[in-house]
Amino acid sequence: MTVLQEAIRKRAAELLEAGEVVRVIAWGSGRFANQTSPLFVSAAADAEKIVFNDYCVNTLAKYALNEKVDGKIAVCVRGCDARAINRMIADNQMTRDEVYLLGVPCSGMKDRATDEVLPKCLTCTHRNPVVYDELLGEAVAEPAEEEVSGLRYSGIEAVEAMDREQRLEYFNEVFNSCIRCYACREVCPVCTCRECFVDQLRAGWQGKQNNLNENRFYNLIRVFHIGDRCIECGECARVCPMGLPLMELNRKWIKDLDELFAAGEEGLTDELDNTLGRYKTDDIEEFM
Amino acid sequence: MSVVNEAQTGVAAGTETFEPKILAFACHWCTYSGADLAGLNRMNYPANVRVLRVPCSGRVNPQYILTALNQGVDGVLVCGCHPGDCHYVSGNYYAKRRLMAFRRMLQYTGLEPERFQVRWISGSEAGKFRDTVTSVVEQIRAIGPYTPDPALAALIDKGTDAQNPILPESVAAGEGGDAS
């Protein structure tokens, strides 16, 4: 970790010194030793503020969207960040030459409250970045597939096993708890619309009341909009102030698309190939 | 919920005489003609269905479906052309993928599968339109009225809020601030 931290600092300083990038996005220390926040470094002298430890929970890629306006930027990418960058390139939010990617292998981050590995990291399938300009440090071993695949769908399989009334009750509770702060939307590397449907007041898709109907509407449509492009970074569930199991909604969609249309994992390349944006004439038929 | 049903049917929801309200999205190029043909042939089908014409089944945004269910219909039926027959070549293929997934998601979150159904009905299948509508109405009559938000329904029953408007009237009329 310390070696990696030094490598990131060194390369960040070099890139800024040489003028190759105007800004480096990495992690900086927070108020406590086990807390970090995204850090935006614009001067080589500030590179030593960069930290990399077990608590770098933020996925940085979404910040690149706003930071790339005045020149090329460098972003530290782990598996999740790299897939998010791929996602945004596929969605025409940026081009590959607008970002310089510092690959950082990652073997999972810890929740600062419990000191246990974050749920999103437990189900991570790509610990090493899938795209980078240079890889810092040594690549770590990817998790065994059977180990992750069991965990990945364990949450939704438990819900699917309930009967309908129980599921209704379960999700009514989830949606009732939602305060519609839209943090899940803000943090999502897939949610890149300039104007979100919930903000289109005149169109009136989303009512302003906080009730079960509106919350269910928001959560289901959020999943509909991102489900087939979701890179499973798990940020939505991590940032949710109410601790709602948002990935159980996303993963249901991912699992269904996988079973029905062999969707596969998203964000591994920067080509746009989302499952609901294409079709096959011999797709499964169930509406006859 | 019950306010809407009473207004439409004149009976209280949940009783034996419950009459469901079904919204059918019908593709202009096939199902709408099919429904027209059913009328021309004097076929009888329940009057519980409200047919809403759309250019294509691919036009049916899942937001429409959720909004309809939230605002008082008991079931939604989406009808489009048979795969391969789409006037716009591929609209129904896209619709098929997204509605298949969306239907599973609704069921996953606890909706009865009967309340949201999709059927392909061509312009000549007047009989299939009649049979589909009849069977959907029968199924929904059997499972009863839909109450998406019991707490809100209780409020409406008390008369505190006659409707569940998507927007305050001032904003809907264009008087309010515009976010864009």
Side-chain angles (χ1 to χ4, degrees), chain B residues 95-152:
Chain B
K96 182 161 91 174
R97 280 202 167 195
R98 63 176 85 110
L99 295 182
M100 275 170 86
F102 192 66
R103 188 155 186 268
R104 281 169 171 74
M105 178 53 93
L106 287 180
Q107 290 174 25
Y108 177 68
T109 53
L111 189 82
E112 294 98 330
E114 293 87 355
R115 297 211 190 270
F116 170 46
Q117 303 193 32
V118 187
R119 285 289 176 282
W120 309 133
I121 300 172
S122 83
S124 59
E125 290 177 320
K128 185 176 179 185
F129 179 78
R130 175 198 55 198
D131 295 344
T132 304
V133 167
T134 312
S135 106
V136 170
V137 170
E138 286 308 318
Q139 288 169 22
I140 299 206
R141 187 176 283 139
I143 58 176
Y146 179 53
T147 314
D149 187 344
L152 189 69

Side-chain angles (χ1 to χ4, degrees), chain B residues 25-50:
Chain B
F25 291 97
C27 163
H28 167 78
W29 301 100
C30 51
T31 314
Y32 199 76
S33 313
D36 202 17
L37 189 62
L40 281 174
N41 287 339
R42 309 278 170 117
M43 290 178 179
N44 279 320
Y45 60 86
N48 306 65
V49 65
R50 275 73 169 165

